[in-house]
Every structure is written in C-alpha cells, then in structure tokens.
Amino acid sequence: MKPDLFQAPDYYNLDDLLTDEHKMVRDAAREWVKRDVSPIIEAAAQDAKFPKSLISGLAEVGAFGPYIPEEYGGAGLDQISYGLIMQELERGDSGVRSTASVQSSLVMYPIYKYGNEAQRKKYLPKLASGEWMGCFGLTEPDHGSNPGGMTTNFKDKGDHYLLNGAKLWISNAPFADIAVVWAKNEEGRIHGLIVERGMEGFSTPETHNKWSLRASATGELIFDNVKIPKENLLPNKSGLGAPLGCLDSARFGIAWGAIGAAMDCYDTALRYAKERMQFDKPIASFQLQQKKLAEMITEITKAQLLAWRLGVMRNEGKATSAQISMAKRNNVDMAIKIAREARQVLGAMGITGEYSIMRHMMNLESVITYEGTHDIHLLITGMDITGISAFN
Ligand code: TGC
Ligand code: FAD
C-alpha cells in the first residue's frame, strides 16, 4: 500500500469550533492511525484477520470508553472528542472504528449506565485498558431490523439463570472476553446479561467469507443451557429501550466515523487527480473530475456540520434518538457515495489495495447495514415527523 499522505479537509474552518482539547485528542488519534494502522491495515483486510496488535494503541488514544468517567478507567471526554476519535479511526478503517465502537458504546456504556457499582468496578477498568475485550449480542438469525422479536431467553433457576439461544453477526465475538447479551425472561421482558468466555455451553464461532469489514472479526454467540450467575444481570434498565439506548451512542460515533472514511477517499482522489496525466494534462483539469471532487468536499462539509451540531446537542443532553438516526443515515450514505465516485477517479488503480478507497467502499456496505439499515433510519425519521410508525 502507498504511504499515508492524508491531509484532512476542513473547507469551512470547522477547527475554529473545536476546543484545544478536541484538537489534541483528534491529532493524537490521527497520528496513531498514520503510524500504526495505515502500514498494516491493507494486509489485515486482505488476510481477513483482526489485527490484535492494535488493541493497546486503541486504549492509549482513549478509544475505549472516551466519555466514560476516569474513575472507571475511561477518558472522561465529551461527545465531540468521542466523535473525533471515531472519525480518525474510521479514516484508517471502519473495522478498527467498529472494534472501538462496540467496546465503548455497546459494552462499556450499558455496564456503566445499566449496571450496578460492583459490575462497573469489575469490568470497566479492564475494558478501558483493552485487557478485556467485549461484544454486544442483539441481532439474531431471524431478528435483525426487528430485535424486539428476539427468541434468546433465560429462566430463573433459583441461584442462577439458564440462558439459551443464538446471536448472529456479532462484531468482536470470536475473541471477546465478555458479551453483553440481550435476552427475554419468562415474562418476555428484555434484559441485558454479561456472559463471560469460559462459561459452559457458550461458544463464539467466527463468520467467514465476508467481502466487507474484513479487518474486523465477526461471529456468532451460541448459548446452550449457559448458567449465568445472578449478579451478571444488568439491573438498572430493561425492555427494548435498553439496547436501543446503547445504539444511540454507537450510531452517534458512526455518524462521525463515516466522515473519516469519506475524507480519506476524497483526499486520495484529489491527490491522484492532480498527479495523474491523461491527454497531456492532469485529470484534475477536466471538468467532469472537478465536478466529482467539488461535490465530494461539499457533502463532507455538510456532514461535518451535522456531526458537530449533533455533538453539541449530545453534550447538552438534548439530542433525540431520531436526530442521531438522521446523522447516521446521512453521513454513511454520503461516505459510500463518495467512495464510489473516488474509486472512479482512480480508474483501474482504484480497484487495487495500493489505495484505501476500495477497502473503504466495501467496509461501508456493512456500516450502511449495521446499527440500523439505511431503510430503517429513513423510517425512524418518517415516524418522527409524521407521528406514525411504519413498523407495526
Ligand atoms: P419501538 O416500539 O419503537 O420502541 C421500543 C422501545 O424502545 C424505545 N426506543 C428507544 N430507546 C432508546 N433509544 C432509541 N434509539 C430508541 N428507539 C426506540 C421506545 O421508546 C420504546 O420504549 P417503551 O418504553 O415505550 O417500551 O420498537 P420497534 O419494535 O417498533 O422497533 C423500532 C426500530 C425498528 C426502530 C428498532 O427496533 C431499530 O432500531 N431496529 C434496528 C436494529 C438495529 O439497529 N440493530 C443494531 C444491532 S447492533 C449492531 O449492529 C452493532 S454493529 C457494531 C459495530 O459498530 O461494529
Ligand atoms: P433484515 O432485518 O433482514 O433486513 C433486510 C432488508 O430488509 C434490509 O434492506 C432492510 O432495510 C429491509 N427491511 C427490514 N425491515 C423493513 C421494514 N420494516 N421496512 C422496510 N424495509 C425493511 N448486530 C449486533 O447485535 N451486534 C453486532 O456487533 C453486530 N455487528 C455487525 C457486524 C457486521 C459486519 C454486520 C454486517 C452486521 C452486524 N450486526 C450486529 C447486525 C446488524 O445490526 C444487522 O445486520 C442489521 O440490523 C440488519 O439486520 P438483518 O441483516 O437481519 O437484515
């Protein structure tokens, strides 16, 4: 792969809206991605192997629990810093951002928000340091967009719960030390349970043959009469709103992350267009190529403004789930369209692993599907503005 020459576009001087701390956190993540992620990520994606060597670096740049209080090992940062870290990670690769999203928003967040003090103390510091890695089990083979229909269940057996069922498409599952799993009790109420690797009847087979997110490990969670200690139930929230609340946090991170992937594609295409000669001119001099590049920077700038404003509202505790949903959908859609256009700017070179664009493009096919598909987010906006649910 070519050396990483990335220069971040900032067409509307958005840096002026950031604090010194935001810029420091972002620049640290940016430098780390350049130094440690870019040189190895193409090979990891080609080999379909999650690069475990990145875990300690992710912890060092504060990517595990950026907004979790420092007393639990988190970085104690605000939501914009969290977003900026996700942007920089996904600039490197969506799979690297995914690993951090899951650890932070889908594992640490529910333990912090819905767990008791003993659970926070037991799990959060080890998750923040990367000593333990986690995964989040909501999706099932027959229940993806409709997680409320889940059949994974647990029964009260007096001194423990007995967990049965299966989850599919679970990021980090093959190597995770713990899983936050959503399952129904005997009354059909959804609860979160912490399942630990090594519990009898719990297995995590890896899902192979992915053309997307190849540098992230994906797998199943299978529960065959797994005995769960009662202290592993998250006590402070139940119902479908509990897992969906975690998704709000992860979707917010993705809204920022997608900008990173788009920035990398744009920056690569711009540099290539200025260097590549055809008809004795740089291809950047042709109007059709300029149109592509001009539209890309316009869409990136709009997405940056959307994410920044959402970050301000998240910091004030005012962002609604529907507002987060709109940003996730818009920014991922923006990024995938830019990846497709940028790939064309590079002609045949665009299909190779010499450049990051095709990898981003393939990754974004997962990003537009997970954490709620593009369609589901359109319907969430539709429900919000009409007051009518198209789901049921
Ligand atoms: P509905 O009746 O609308 O809602 C049920 C209850 O949940 C509440 N709620 C939310 N709470 C917090 N945050 C949200 N975003 C919420 N959305 C809804 C709602 O108020 C209600 O509460 P209550 O107290 O009245 O019971 O539920 P529904 O069954 O009609 O479904 C709604 C729908 C389709 C929008 C929802 O289920 C959905 O978002 N589906 C998409 C599923 C999804 O996003 N799955 C993601 C799995 S995790 C993942 O993909 C990780 S990828 C990891 C990586 O980055 O690598
Ligand atoms: P389906 O729900 O079957 O949808 C298929 C199609 O039907 C989609 O186009 C969808 O938009 C459309 N559709 C569905 N319902 C409607 C409707 N009401 N109206 C209109 N159209 C509709 N899940 C986890 O729990 N944890 C994870 O860590 C995780 N990681 C993932 C990693 C990867 C790489 C991928 C690809 C997925 C991951 N997922 C994870 C699962 C992901 O959240 C689901 O794939 C997603 O929610 C969609 O579910 P589905 O694939 O079953 O599609």
Side-chain angles (χ1 to χ4, degrees):
M1 194 176 158
K2 296 259 187 240
D4 184 351
L5 302 172
F6 177 67
Q7 287 186 311
D10 183 14
Y11 201 72
Y12 260 41
N13 302 333
L14 282 157
D15 264 21
D16 294 350
L17 299 173
L18 303 180
T19 64
D20 288 345
E21 181 175 76
H22 292 149
K23 286 184 259 192
M24 198 180 71
V25 165
R26 180 200 58 196
D27 293 349
R30 185 169 290 169
E31 281 313 305
W32 177 73
V33 167
K34 235 178 204 183
R35 195 189 64 226
D36 287 4
V37 178
S38 297
I40 59 142
I41 199 64
E42 180 63 29
Q46 296 278 358
D47 294 348
K49 286 239 159 58
F50 168 67
K52 284 195 183 162
S53 60
L54 297 181
I55 288 176
S56 58
L58 281 165
E60 272 164 34
V61 298
F64 294 156
Y67 54 84
I68 298 289
E70 287 171 281
E71 63 174 306
Y72 300 111
L77 297 167
D78 75 349
Q79 291 290 311
I80 292 179
S81 292
Y82 162 46
L84 287 165
I85 294 173
M86 296 300 123
Q87 171 188 289
E88 296 307 316
L89 298 184
E90 194 144 4
R91 208 280 296 173
D93 190 82
S94 303
V96 176
R97 195 269 307 137
S98 248
T99 299
S101 287
V102 169
Q103 183 88 339
S104 299
S105 292
L106 300 182
V107 180
M108 296 177 74
Y109 177 84
I111 293 173
Y112 173 63
K113 208 72 183 167
Y114 314 144
N116 58 32
E117 197 54 21
Q119 292 168 335
R120 289 187 196 121
K121 285 196 170 127
K122 176 174 176 187
Y123 296 105
L124 293 179
K126 287 198 163 84
L127 291 163
S129 69
E131 183 181 341
W132 284 351
M133 294 299 293
C135 66
F136 175 89
L138 181 64
T139 305
E140 299 189 350
D142 294 329
H143 301 96
S145 297
N146 176 27
M150 69 174 68
T151 58
T152 297
N153 65 87
F154 63 99
K155 293 191 168 57
D156 191 333
K157 293 289 177 185
D159 65 341
H160 64 271
Y161 299 117
L162 205 60
L163 178 66
N164 278 289
K167 301 286 177 180
L168 188 63
W169 296 114
I170 307 304
S171 300
N172 300 356
F175 60 83
D177 301 285
I178 65 165
V180 170
V181 175
W182 301 94
K184 285 181 177 164
N185 68 9
E186 283 142 295
E187 287 77 49
R189 182 93 183 150
I190 294 171
H191 287 266
L193 298 157
I194 303 170
V195 183
E196 298 179 14
R197 185 170 296 282
M199 288 179 172
E200 207 177 324
F202 174 43
S203 57
T204 62
E206 182 155 3
T207 302
H208 295 288
N209 282 333
K210 291 182 299 166
W211 282 113
S212 173
L213 227 65
R214 289 169 62 83
S216 158
T218 314
E220 296 171 57
L221 303 176
I222 297 173
F223 315 105
D224 179 10
N225 286 317
V226 184
K227 276 188 183 177
I228 309 288
K230 286 207 156 167
E231 67 259 25
N232 283 26
L233 182 119
L234 297 175
N236 295 335
K237 191 162 166 92
S238 63
L240 186 57
L244 292 180
C246 308
L247 297 187
D248 275 359
S249 178
R251 289 167 178 172
F252 170 77
I254 292 173
W256 284 85
I259 297 171
M263 290 198 306
D264 197 48
C265 293
Y266 164 77
D267 179 61
T268 305
L270 178 63
R271 188 172 309 105
Y272 189 88
K274 289 200 279 193
E275 288 169 1
R276 173 72 176 164
M277 302 293 289
Q278 286 297 290
F279 303 95
D280 302 321
K281 289 181 188 166
I283 60 169
S285 62
F286 300 126
Q287 290 180 6
L288 283 175
Q289 303 310 318
Q290 288 193 7
K291 174 177 184 287
K292 284 191 177 72
L293 294 163
E295 285 175 349
M296 285 181 212
I297 191 61
T298 309
E299 292 308 313
I300 288 171
T301 304
K302 283 152 69 178
Q304 286 170 326
L305 286 163
L306 196 63
W308 177 81
R309 175 65 191 147
L310 190 65
V312 171
M313 292 194 291
R314 287 275 290 174
N315 278 341
E316 293 168 349
K318 287 187 195 152
T320 66
S321 298
Q323 286 168 333
I324 296 166
S325 186
M326 177 185 279
K328 189 270 182 184
R329 171 179 54 81
N330 182 77
N331 289 9
V332 177
D333 192 50
M334 170 282 297
I336 208 165
K337 285 177 176 152
I338 284 181
R340 286 170 186 156
E341 291 288 297
R343 217 261 343 122
Q344 291 191 57
V345 173
L346 270 69
M349 284 312 291
I351 70 156
T352 72
E354 285 295 299
Y355 295 89
S356 54
I357 298 176
M358 189 88 179
R359 179 166 43 81
H360 284 306
M361 188 162 95
M362 294 195 297
N363 283 342
L364 288 163
E365 292 292 341
S366 286
V367 183
I368 205 166
T369 297
Y370 66 34
E371 299 276 3
T373 67
H374 185 80
D375 298 333
I376 291 296
H377 288 296
L378 277 170
L379 295 176
I380 291 173
T381 303
M383 178 163 63
D384 196 46
I385 58 176
T386 63
I388 304 165
S389 169
F391 299 114
N392 30 47

